[in-house]
Amino acid sequence: MPPPGPSRLRNLRLPLLVGLLSLALTGWLWHHENQAAEARMQTDFDFSVRQSVSRIEERIASYEQMLRAARGLFEASDAVSRDDFQSFVSALMGGSAPSGLQLMAFTPLLPAGQIPGHVATRRALGDADYAIRPGDGSGPVAPVTYIAPPTPGNRAALGHNLYADPLRRKAMLQARDSGGIAITSRIALRLDAPHNKPAFAMYLALYTRGQPDDTPASRQAAVYGWVHIAFRLADLIASMPGEGSPGIALRIYDGPEALAERLMFDSEPEADSPLPRFTAIKHIEFPQHRWALQVRSTPAFELGQSNKPARIIAGAGVCVSLLLALFTWQLVTGRARAFARAQAMTRELREREEYMRHMAQHDPLTQLPNRALFSDRLQAALARARRERSRAALMFVDLDHFKPVNDACGHAVGDSLLIAATERMRECLRESDTLARVGGDEFVVLLPHIDSRDDARQVAERIRTSIALPFQIGPHQIDISASIGICIFPEHAGDEVSLMKCADTAMYQAKDAGRDRLFFADEA
Ligand SMILES: Nc1nc2c(ncn2[C@@H]2O[C@H](COP(=O)(O)OP(=O)(O)OP(=O)(O)O)[C@@H](O)[C@H]2O)c(=O)[nH]1
């Protein structure tokens, strides 16, 4: 394949430019749509994060409300019995604990001196194996006294001295001093032993009615116990309404920072994608305590957010760019092709016209002017000779015994002989003279300007002599001659027709005189 020429390269330039511009526009749109999709994904992710945080906060708030309702029960009654408490909690929970809550309990604060009476009372009221543990009776205790729902697992916590556990005690004292709720750090529930499932306890202190409780000091003096709840974090998350957000993974850390050793909950422990596309750290705030929530997207999130418009823009943009480039190429080359074709057609028409004109004026065998063209030139020469009062000569040249050549050697040899004879005659003439073929073996010669009849005689003699020399046509050596009639303007004739006629007559006289000779018109 030949290398593309400059015009082909020129023709490619505009389609390439159009294609590249269209591709650039496609790229810009694609980039723009990707950015919009990224922003949409970020918005969706942020929404999922907010949703996750607020669902947990709502659940925690509902726990707090339950505690405040329980405190209301104690504040409204002189004495709340175990059955009262259990009925109340049962009503509060709707008969079970659907909210991820494991238990609600009442824990009094007992000075050492009240411990034996407390234990005796509990046993007398039906908790036969009730005992405070651990506890050596040397200091105040906070034993779990009422517990609901009273499942065997929960009941195992009865008598458990919460003051002996530093984490629980810390939260209890916080609740006591603040008057509000307080939450422990991560603890393990007794009923989960030996499995250490992350759990928490939330406390609300109870104060003796009628005593001031508006300062930490007055609250320390007035406190007589706590209502509290305990929940496992996994149960809390599982109990939240709704399906959660697809493609969103959640980790909860006990504390303000996402430290591996403080991880309490991981919604997707198996699918730990090392490089999540989106991540966020949020906090759940408690009085004097914080949880860190690490929210991250998983590959399922990006799949759910697949950027279809960007793919459509890219695909359609590339197709349109190719089509535009092709269309432009067709326009450009179509114009160039039409132009080249028009040029070729014009050239062809000119050549054909030229050929037709040539054919109309020339003899096809010898390419000599024919009778029509010769007539034009004769008229022009005569007009000029009349103007300039000069002389012109007209000769009729007829080959002698040409027919026998045709007959003996064939028509093709006859043709070649005619062409060769033409050449010889042409060599005897000047550029300004005209040699024409007017019949089979008949030629006419116009000498438009002669000074005397001798000029014409010399030319005619040269022609006669050259024709008389042998011709070699292929294998054939041919000897012929020519008879020439000469007519001089204006001596012998004054117009075209007369000149032709008298030259013709003179030629026949040369024939009659024995051929291979020349005759002037006035020699007849
Ligand atoms: N090969 C060939 N022959 C032609 C052509 N045109 C005419 N002729 C032949 O030329 C011959 C001319 O005839 P004439 O001039 O009567 O015969 P001639 O033998 O030359 O006789 P004279 O002129 O009396 O000497 C004829 O036989 C034509 O058929 C042509 O283009 N090619």
Side-chain angles (χ1 to χ4, degrees):
M1 198 173 141
S7 72
R8 286 180 78 184
L9 284 177
R10 216 173 20 251
N11 288 343
L12 278 176
R13 229 183 278 160
L14 189 59
L16 271 178
L17 185 68
V18 169
L20 285 176
L21 278 177
S22 177
L23 277 178
L25 180 65
T26 301
W28 181 81
L29 286 174
W30 177 79
H31 176 69
H32 193 262
E33 176 52 35
N34 264 342
Q35 280 188 325
E38 185 78 12
R40 279 199 301 275
M41 272 202 272
Q42 182 69 58
T43 306
D44 285 357
F45 178 74
D46 291 346
F47 176 77
S48 298
V49 171
R50 279 200 304 277
Q51 207 179 27
S52 300
V53 172
S54 69
R55 276 147 52 108
I56 295 173
E57 284 176 339
E58 278 167 22
R59 181 45 46 92
I60 299 290
S62 76
Y63 290 170
E64 184 178 342
Q65 277 176 354
M66 290 168 85
L67 282 177
R68 290 192 185 281
R71 179 155 80 176
L73 172 73
F74 280 89
E75 285 174 350
S77 312
D78 291 333
V80 177
S81 69
R82 181 187 63 189
D83 294 341
D84 292 342
F85 184 77
Q86 287 179 347
S87 306
F88 172 81
V89 174
S90 170
L92 205 60
M93 292 182 176
S96 62
S99 52
L101 205 61
Q102 182 56 37
L103 61 89
M104 181 179 268
F106 162 65
T107 294
L109 174 63
L110 300 174
Q114 292 182 13
I115 294 172
H118 171 78
V119 172
T121 306
R122 297 315 321 149
R123 288 181 181 169
L125 288 174
D127 295 327
D129 51 354
Y130 184 86
I132 296 176
R133 52 187 191 283
D136 54 10
S138 62
V141 294
V144 177
T145 302
Y146 300 161
I147 198 156
T151 59
N154 281 346
R155 281 181 59 81
L158 281 175
H160 181 208
N161 177 16
L162 302 181
Y163 251 26
D165 176 356
L167 292 179
R168 288 179 168 88
R169 182 183 174 120
K170 185 180 170 195
M172 291 165 87
L173 296 183
Q174 271 176 16
R176 178 197 68 185
D177 293 350
S178 69
I181 61 153
I183 190 167
T184 60
S185 295
R186 171 187 172 162
I187 57 171
L189 298 182
R190 183 178 280 265
L191 61 102
D192 288 337
H195 306 294
N196 193 8
K197 294 181 185 171
F200 293 86
M202 247 166 83
Y203 294 89
L204 191 63
L206 303 173
Y207 303 104
T208 307
R209 269 197 295 173
Q211 283 196 26
D213 59 1
D214 49 350
T215 63
S218 61
R219 286 194 280 268
Q220 285 172 18
V223 71
Y224 71 89
W226 291 265
V227 281
H228 55 102
I229 55 169
F231 58 89
R232 296 187 197 97
L233 194 52
D235 293 346
L236 181 147
I237 302 290
S239 72
M240 290 195 307
E243 286 295 309
S245 306
I248 296 294
L250 186 65
R251 282 180 184 155
I252 303 178
Y253 298 86
D254 186 23
E257 289 170 73
L259 302 173
E261 65 272 18
R262 310 206 72 170
L263 179 66
M264 300 183 295
F265 174 79
D266 191 347
S267 64
E268 296 195 24
E270 307 297 326
D272 187 16
S273 88
L275 279 176
R277 183 120 175 222
F278 300 100
T279 55
I281 297 279
K282 296 285 169 187
H283 291 97
I284 304 283
E285 302 285 348
F286 301 97
Q288 300 184 43
H289 201 78
R290 270 177 151 190
W291 288 350
L293 256 68
Q294 186 198 60
V295 190
R296 64 192 196 282
S297 64
T298 66
F301 177 77
E302 289 162 39
L303 278 181
Q305 306 270 336
S306 74
N307 193 359
K308 210 171 174 185
R311 283 207 301 275
I312 292 174
I313 285 173
V318 168
C319 290
V320 167
S321 302
L322 287 175
L323 285 176
L324 270 178
L326 190 68
F327 182 62
T328 313
W329 180 77
Q330 279 195 327
L331 276 183
V332 170
T333 54
R335 198 166 148 259
R337 276 203 305 271
F339 186 67
R341 190 168 173 75
Q343 274 187 327
M345 282 171 72
T346 308
R347 196 168 49 244
E348 205 176 305
L349 274 174
R350 279 205 194 116
E351 283 170 5
R352 193 171 289 235
E353 193 184 307
E354 195 62 36
Y355 176 72
M356 296 301 282
R357 189 182 299 132
H358 183 86
M359 292 295 286
Q361 295 180 332
H362 291 80
D363 164 43
L365 179 67
T366 60
Q367 302 303 318
L368 288 175
N370 61 13
R371 189 183 288 272
L373 179 57
F374 184 80
S375 173
D376 288 347
R377 292 194 185 168
L378 180 58
Q379 283 180 29
L382 292 183
R384 191 175 163 201
R386 278 191 202 99
R387 269 197 320 275
E388 297 176 355
R389 298 186 184 282
S390 60
R391 307 169 93 184
L394 178 70
M395 299 177 200
F396 253 72
V397 181
D398 191 287
L399 301 183
D400 302 325
H401 305 304
F402 179 72
K403 187 172 179 300
V405 177
N406 263 348
D407 295 343
C409 306
H411 207 81
V413 173
D415 282 354
S416 298
L417 181 59
L418 286 171
I419 293 167
T422 298
E423 275 310 303
R424 287 192 185 176
M425 285 190 276
R426 213 197 295 266
E427 283 166 11
C428 300
L429 300 172
R430 287 187 300 206
E431 193 75 17
S432 54
D433 301 335
T434 298
L435 171 64
R437 186 181 177 211
V438 293
D441 60 352
E442 273 181 17
F443 299 85
V444 284
V445 176
L446 168 66
L447 307 179
H449 188 85
I450 55 168
D451 291 330
S452 67
R453 62 191 283 150
D454 274 349
D455 290 348
R457 183 190 304 280
Q458 281 173 17
V459 174
E461 190 53 36
R462 274 206 303 273
I463 290 173
R464 188 195 67 77
T465 313
S466 71
I467 297 293
L469 293 173
F471 286 90
Q472 188 68 43
I473 308 292
H476 309 283
Q477 183 177 325
I478 301 167
D479 292 304
I480 54 164
S481 58
S483 298
I484 303 172
I486 309 166
C487 185
I488 308 291
F489 172 88
E491 284 100 315
H492 302 147
D495 60 73
E496 179 200 347
V497 176
S498 310
L499 270 171
M500 293 288 279
K501 195 172 177 192
C502 79
D504 190 37
T505 305
M507 185 271 289
Y508 274 111
Q509 284 173 341
K511 289 255 185 211
D512 289 345
R515 295 183 170 80
D516 191 22
R517 65 197 64 215
L518 51 98
F519 251 74
F520 280 89
D522 55 3
E523 289 173 341

